[in-house]
Amino acid sequence: MKVLQERSLAPFHTFGIEVTANHIVVAESAEDLVAIWQDEQYLALPKLIVGQGSNLLFCEDYAGVIVLNRIAGIEITETAESYQLHVGAGEDWHQLVRSTVENKMPGLENLALIPGCVGSSPIQNIGAYGVELKDVCQYVDVVELNTGKLSRILASDCQFGYRDSIFKHALKNTHAIVAVGLKLPKVWQPNVSYGPLMQFNTDTVTALEIFEEVCRIRQQKLPDPNVLGNAGSFFKNPIVASAKRAQLMMAYPNMPSYEMADGSYKLAAGWLIDQCGLKGYQVGGAKVHEQQALVLVNYGQATARDVLKLASEVVLQVKDKFGVCLEHEVRFMAAAQETKLAEVMS
Ligand code: FAD
Ligand code: EPU
């Protein structure tokens, strides 16, 4: 375990909000994590594992221990049918995607340029351009923080859903992810189902072409956190009953929507926010991104309060205009525990 002298969290989360923690430590193994949880000095304090902080909003200073997950290592084995990757939780997701594509192990190309650590990828079942982590995940290895017990959870038991998994529920706070197992079939099926990728011919397209196109589109639409602080989509795309969608389609025939397996519909939160005329809307240093209304950005020295007020205004206006409640995708941290927009603003 390494203990850092600094207390500012600005370098460790992509929103770039100026907040501090009481302690910042680095875990390079499952043993480090358990040692931190058992350390006398930290015993009574709240603790939070952080990968690259790209899905986090610190609503205030953190009154506890931030544990940076830096567990490294990639092991690759193969069978006649597939490549199998066992990846340490602290590895960088995009670097992994890039190296698999470059080394002719396709399957992750649609998930290019998603910031964060490999160990965070199962938590919200990261997804983009028609593919979700669940499509390639074989297992997730976890350590129980209070006992040090290691166990393997098969993908079929991870309760993966849209931006959801068991790690946000039953295993939250009690278990840390230490490694992820991925399976990439050698017979590759390109996935070009998502709008902007439909231009490709599935018989001729290569994984590298999809990788490069996904990177190009993402760089066009999404702000680079190194330039403008943000945490990606701030809200989830809301899922509504088919009757609600039909009612909205009467008034807004061009509204994008996607049918789900159970007959409900996923709406595009970015479109709803855009229709409220909120692109560019600003509260203090926080702003609705001009190119993608689903992203809230730190336009310059934003405080957490600015972001929270802006998010509340967005929720209010979308509710007023469409009768749809937006739920934030970004995880909110209060001084000692996770919180929600409604709780912080009450
Ligand atoms: P963090 O933000 O550090 O942590 C997220 C949560 O997981 C926290 O609650 C943390 O405590 C917990 N956690 C982290 N590591 C562990 C661990 N080892 N064990 C247990 N708990 C842990 N997401 C998508 O799904 N699709 C996208 O297309 C996408 N695009 C994005 C674009 C941008 C520009 C940005 C900034 C974000 C985007 N995101 C996207 C969100 C983000 O990239 C993902 O949620 C990512 O998986 C977060 O990884 P992280 O390491 O930064 O997690
Ligand atoms: N749209 C607008 N105006 C906007 C933004 C979007 O009209 O300002 C419309 C688009 O024209 C399109 C629809 O809304 O018709 C959907 O937009 P887009 O394809 O950009 O995707 P999204 O729903 O905004 C989701 C994910 C992203 C993921 C992309 C690509 C969620 C919450 N977001 O965004 O994930 O990269 O699809 O698959 O599901 C993230 O989770 O952080 C994230 C960036």
Side-chain angles (χ1 to χ4, degrees), residues 14 48-56 69 89 114-117 119-121 123-124 126-128 163 175-177 218 222-223 225 230-232 329 331:
T14 59
L48 180 73
I49 303 177
V50 171
Q52 294 179 12
S54 64
N55 207 31
L56 277 172
N69 154 37
I114 299 182
C117 289
S120 315
S121 64
I123 296 173
Q124 70 158 10
I126 56 168
R163 298 296 189 265
H175 291 68
I177 294 173
R218 292 181 67 100
L222 294 166
N230 75 92
E329 182 205 272
R331 312 278 297 267

Side-chain angles (χ1 to χ4, degrees), residues 54-55 110 114-115 124 126-131 162-163 194-196 217-218 221-222 230-238 254-258 266-275 279 288-295 329-330:
S54 64
N55 207 31
N110 295 55
I114 299 182
Q124 70 158 10
I126 56 168
Y129 297 92
V131 175
Y162 168 60
R163 298 296 189 265
Y194 201 87
I217 301 166
R218 292 181 67 100
K221 279 196 201 173
L222 294 166
N230 75 92
S233 298
F234 199 87
F235 300 98
K236 290 184 204 166
N237 283 329
N254 297 326
M255 180 183 76
S257 64
Y258 316 91
K266 193 190 269 182
L267 308 183
W271 185 90
L272 299 174
I273 300 168
D274 201 352
Q275 292 296 307
K279 265 186 180 162
V288 177
H289 190 47
E290 308 268 5
Q291 277 76 43
Q292 225 301 4
L294 194 44
V295 180
E329 182 205 272
V330 173

Side-chain angles (χ1 to χ4, degrees), residues 1-2 25-45 47 49 65 67-71 141-151 173-178:
M1 165 205 342
K2 268 191 220 147
V25 299
V26 179
E28 291 176 320
S29 63
E31 293 73 28
D32 274 359
L33 285 168
V34 178
I36 293 163
W37 255 256
Q38 289 174 351
D39 193 308
E40 289 272 309
Q41 191 191 354
Y42 305 138
L43 218 48
L45 295 176
K47 299 171 201 71
I49 303 177
V65 190
V67 182
L68 299 174
N69 154 37
R70 297 293 179 262
I71 303 173
D141 284 352
V142 295
V143 62
E144 190 175 12
L145 291 157
N146 283 336
T147 63
K149 186 170 170 262
L150 289 163
S151 51
N173 297 334
T174 56
H175 291 68
I177 294 173
V178 295

Side-chain angles (χ1 to χ4, degrees), residues 118-168:
V118 170
S120 315
S121 64
I123 296 173
Q124 70 158 10
N125 179 28
I126 56 168
Y129 297 92
V131 175
E132 289 184 329
L133 184 87
K134 71 170 173 51
D135 302 325
V136 288
C137 181
Q138 205 175 11
Y139 61 81
V140 177
D141 284 352
V142 295
V143 62
E144 190 175 12
L145 291 157
N146 283 336
T147 63
K149 186 170 170 262
L150 289 163
S151 51
R152 173 159 295 180
I153 306 172
L154 296 179
S156 51
D157 294 325
C158 286
Q159 298 169 13
F160 286 129
Y162 168 60
R163 298 296 189 265
D164 204 15
S165 74
I166 193 170
F167 308 105
K168 280 183 156 185

Side-chain angles (χ1 to χ4, degrees), residues 46-317:
K47 299 171 201 71
L48 180 73
I49 303 177
V50 171
Q52 294 179 12
S54 64
N55 207 31
L56 277 172
L57 177 69
F58 288 99
C59 301
E60 53 191 311
D61 289 339
Y62 189 67
V65 190
I66 293 292
V67 182
L68 299 174
N69 154 37
R70 297 293 179 262
I71 303 173
I74 302 178
E75 291 157 36
I76 303 174
T77 51
E78 64 179 296
T79 63
E81 290 82 33
S82 62
Y83 296 103
Q84 305 191 348
L85 284 68
H86 178 88
V87 190
E91 293 286 344
D92 179 80
W93 175 263
H94 177 68
Q95 292 313 324
L96 177 74
V97 175
R98 175 188 290 283
S99 76
T100 53
V101 171
E102 283 174 356
N103 289 294
K104 307 274 184 289
M105 289 180 278
L108 301 181
E109 54 284 346
N110 295 55
L111 298 175
L113 226 52
I114 299 182
C117 289
V118 170
S120 315
S121 64
I123 296 173
Q124 70 158 10
N125 179 28
I126 56 168
Y129 297 92
V131 175
E132 289 184 329
L133 184 87
K134 71 170 173 51
D135 302 325
V136 288
C137 181
Q138 205 175 11
Y139 61 81
V140 177
D141 284 352
V142 295
V143 62
E144 190 175 12
L145 291 157
N146 283 336
T147 63
K149 186 170 170 262
L150 289 163
S151 51
R152 173 159 295 180
I153 306 172
L154 296 179
S156 51
D157 294 325
C158 286
Q159 298 169 13
F160 286 129
Y162 168 60
R163 298 296 189 265
D164 204 15
S165 74
I166 193 170
F167 308 105
K168 280 183 156 185
H169 303 283
L171 303 188
K172 185 177 140 182
N173 297 334
T174 56
H175 291 68
I177 294 173
V178 295
V180 177
L182 303 171
K183 185 173 173 180
L184 306 176
K186 286 185 175 173
V187 179
W188 175 63
Q189 297 285 347
N191 185 327
V192 294
S193 58
Y194 201 87
L197 299 180
M198 281 180 188
Q199 49 160 318
F200 288 119
N201 177 344
T202 47
D203 293 334
T204 54
V205 70
T206 66
L208 185 61
E209 283 170 333
I210 295 179
F211 172 86
E212 283 172 349
E213 182 62 5
V214 167
C215 290
R216 195 189 63 76
I217 301 166
R218 292 181 67 100
Q219 277 162 342
Q220 220 173 48
K221 279 196 201 173
L222 294 166
D224 176 355
N226 294 317
V227 180
L228 270 184
N230 75 92
S233 298
F234 199 87
F235 300 98
K236 290 184 204 166
N237 283 329
I239 294 171
V240 299
S242 76
K244 174 70 187 173
R245 182 246 183 192
Q247 175 219 325
L248 287 170
M249 287 300 280
M250 301 279 281
Y252 308 97
N254 297 326
M255 180 183 76
S257 64
Y258 316 91
E259 189 169 7
M260 310 291 284
D262 64 359
S264 59
Y265 281 83
K266 193 190 269 182
L267 308 183
W271 185 90
L272 299 174
I273 300 168
D274 201 352
Q275 292 296 307
C276 292
L278 285 167
K279 265 186 180 162
Y281 184 81
Q282 203 167 339
V283 174
K287 192 170 177 175
V288 177
H289 190 47
E290 308 268 5
Q291 277 76 43
Q292 225 301 4
L294 194 44
V295 180
L296 304 189
V297 295
N298 177 354
Y299 194 65
Q301 318 272 301
T303 61
R305 207 69 205 161
D306 293 340
V307 180
L308 293 167
K309 279 193 197 154
L310 178 63
S312 301
E313 187 58 31
V314 169
V315 171
L316 196 74
Q317 291 211 23

